[in-house]
Amino acid sequence: MHELADRKIIHVDMDAFYASVEQHDNPGLKGKPVAVGGGSDRGVVAAASYEARKYGVRSAMPSVTAKRLCPDLIFVKSRFDRYREVSEQIREIFQDYTDLVEPLSLDEAYLDVTENKYHFPSATIIAYEIRRRIYEVTGITASAGISVNKFIAKIASDYNKPNGQKTILPEEILLFLEELDIRKFHGIGKVTAEKMYQFGIFNGFDLKQKSLEFLAENFGKSGTHYYKIVRGIHKSPVKADRIRKSLGAERTFSENISSEIFMKERLIQIAEEIEKRIAKSDVAGKTVTLKIKFRDFKTQTRSKTLPYFIRDKETILNTAIELMEQESFRESVRLLGITLSNLNTAKEEVEDFVEVQLGFEF
């Protein structure tokens, strides 16, 4: 069993995956700004090609905004069956090198190659070979990050995108993290970054000057996490059987809805979809969360935790309706969603401090 600080972890992230698949399958789209998703006035961008990103087009952006930023933007409908097919091809390549593969989504995964099937001593070479084979098999490119833990590998994979990779050697980690812009720390979003700016925290070095007590007082449990990661401490192993934490479904409507009757009809459909997913995943949960997105794109969530596990459509639906009726809506609704969490798959994870060790081959 290797020490956690002696692990060799690769984070592989496909480049603009959905859009790249569309450009590969339709060569006429290559080199052009492409958005996967609905092009209607009520549509949302699911993914954008790098050509579209140059104009500021991003995923989850309303289509009207995307078209305003990039008038020549080409919209294509999503084909998730095709994306899953390509994802499976990529997954098979991963499995050729190691069984320790933790998929995060269709287009990214962590691999622990400390002990790999080819007995390669260099994780950097393995990452290069994986990226080369992905391109040979699928015709689309991938980027990779390589280091001693998942946190640093994920940051590194974003450094030389698209179609590149970066290795952070053990002896480089602390300086790398000190020089890193706080906004590039995985898990620190815009709101948290703005709060850190108020405390004079702009990069990893600034963050490192703050005590554990200060960070815990001002950022709660996350403060302890920030204290560890800026010191290169991240224990979480690559889990081949990743534990599902939640399960849900949502619907965006072609027209805004203001009638509770229509909303309940949509919730019935969503609850039916969740019941199918529950049966497929064989899970149950205690917490039901209702997601509401209003016509002005503001989002609200309402949750209720039950004293027992549930998995049937009726209980999920009734709880969602109860949450909906807690407070009347002042605006019409463009999206409704239901999520079941606090699942019976959850396991408590304990994080320990593990100092970074130096001097083995990457």
Side-chain angles (χ1 to χ4, degrees):
M1 186 74 175
H2 285 263
E3 291 294 328
L4 290 170
D6 286 343
R7 291 177 300 174
K8 300 179 183 182
I9 308 299
I10 301 173
H11 177 254
V12 179
D13 192 8
M14 301 305 298
D15 299 322
F17 182 53
Y18 299 164
S20 294
V21 171
E22 296 300 337
Q23 288 178 316
H24 172 268
D25 290 356
N26 182 356
L29 296 176
K30 286 188 176 180
K32 297 179 180 179
V34 174
V36 176
S40 67
D41 289 344
R42 302 190 58 79
V44 176
V45 175
S49 68
Y50 281 96
E51 295 84 358
R53 294 182 188 187
K54 291 177 182 177
Y55 291 87
V57 178
R58 296 287 184 269
S59 61
M61 177 180 284
S63 299
V64 289
T65 304
K67 284 187 284 190
R68 187 167 61 248
L69 292 171
C70 180
D72 295 327
L73 188 62
I74 302 170
F75 279 89
V76 294
K77 291 183 178 180
S78 57
R79 300 180 298 150
F80 282 98
D81 287 343
R82 173 60 175 153
Y83 309 148
R84 291 189 187 96
E85 178 186 357
V86 177
S87 181
E88 284 301 317
Q89 292 176 315
I90 296 167
R91 201 76 53 84
E92 289 175 7
I93 294 172
F94 293 160
Q95 295 290 339
D96 281 348
Y97 294 86
T98 177
D99 290 328
L100 291 177
V101 178
E102 180 180 337
L104 300 177
S105 60
L106 292 179
D107 63 340
E108 63 175 319
Y110 291 115
L111 291 76
D112 188 329
V113 296
T114 313
E115 296 178 355
N116 57 84
K117 296 178 182 180
Y118 288 91
H119 306 291
F120 284 160
S122 171
T124 301
I125 293 176
I126 293 175
Y128 176 82
E129 284 297 307
I130 287 173
R131 290 175 47 242
R132 179 186 61 80
R133 287 187 57 193
I134 288 174
Y135 184 75
E136 286 182 352
V137 172
T138 68
I140 57 180
T141 62
S143 297
I146 307 98
S147 197
V148 300
N149 63 44
K150 294 195 294 187
F151 172 76
I152 300 170
K154 186 171 178 67
I155 293 174
S157 67
D158 200 41
Y159 246 71
N160 291 318
K161 271 185 166 290
N163 195 25
Q165 65 181 62
K166 183 175 179 63
T167 299
I168 310 295
L169 299 172
E171 60 267 28
E172 298 171 341
I173 288 172
L174 297 181
L175 180 59
F176 171 79
L177 291 173
E178 285 182 359
E179 295 178 345
L180 194 66
D181 188 313
I182 204 68
R183 293 171 299 179
K184 291 186 178 294
F185 275 75
H186 176 59
I188 295 181
K190 183 178 179 180
V191 174
T192 302
E194 290 291 341
K195 185 176 180 179
M196 287 191 171
Y197 293 162
Q198 295 173 12
F199 293 118
I201 302 172
F202 297 95
N203 56 30
F205 179 83
D206 298 331
L207 178 61
K208 202 170 182 179
Q209 306 314 303
K210 303 300 181 183
S211 68
L212 176 59
E213 291 74 20
F214 174 88
L215 293 173
E217 180 181 348
N218 289 283
F219 297 95
K221 291 182 179 179
S222 296
T224 303
H225 172 66
Y226 302 149
Y227 182 87
K228 294 178 185 180
I229 59 175
V230 78
R231 291 165 172 76
I233 300 165
H234 189 248
K235 178 184 175 182
S236 179
V238 172
K239 302 170 186 175
D241 297 314
R242 195 161 178 258
I243 298 172
R244 179 186 286 275
K245 295 182 178 179
S246 65
L247 185 151
E250 59 185 37
R251 294 288 183 274
T252 301
F253 313 128
S254 57
E255 294 182 2
N256 293 334
I257 295 177
S258 55
S259 165
E260 284 196 8
I261 295 175
F262 289 158
M263 290 183 198
K264 289 177 182 178
E265 289 178 354
R266 302 305 188 275
L267 289 177
I268 291 171
Q269 297 169 1
I270 296 170
E272 289 173 347
E273 176 63 26
I274 291 177
E275 188 178 51
K276 292 177 185 176
R277 296 184 183 184
I278 287 172
K280 186 175 180 180
S281 302
D282 192 24
V283 297
K286 290 184 177 180
T287 302
V288 176
T289 300
L290 175 67
K291 176 181 177 182
I292 312 128
K293 183 177 288 187
F294 298 100
R295 67 177 184 180
D296 59 0
F297 288 92
K298 289 183 180 178
T299 301
Q300 182 184 106
T301 58
R302 304 174 183 178
S303 298
K304 180 177 181 179
T305 299
L306 302 172
Y308 47 84
F309 286 105
I310 61 171
R311 57 180 294 139
D312 61 291
K313 177 188 70 177
E314 288 74 18
T315 307
I316 294 169
L317 175 62
N318 290 336
T319 306
I321 291 175
E322 179 185 337
L323 291 168
M324 185 184 75
E325 293 176 340
Q326 278 182 355
E327 183 183 345
S328 59
F329 300 153
R330 298 178 181 177
E331 301 280 350
S332 56
V333 173
R334 61 176 284 117
L335 177 148
L336 286 173
I338 303 173
T339 300
L340 182 67
S341 59
N342 199 2
L343 303 183
N344 56 355
T345 56
K347 295 180 181 178
E348 185 175 354
E349 296 180 13
V350 180
E351 285 270 334
D352 294 327
F353 283 2
V354 181
E355 297 298 334
V356 174
Q357 299 175 1
L358 310 180
F360 65 103
E361 183 180 1
F362 258 78

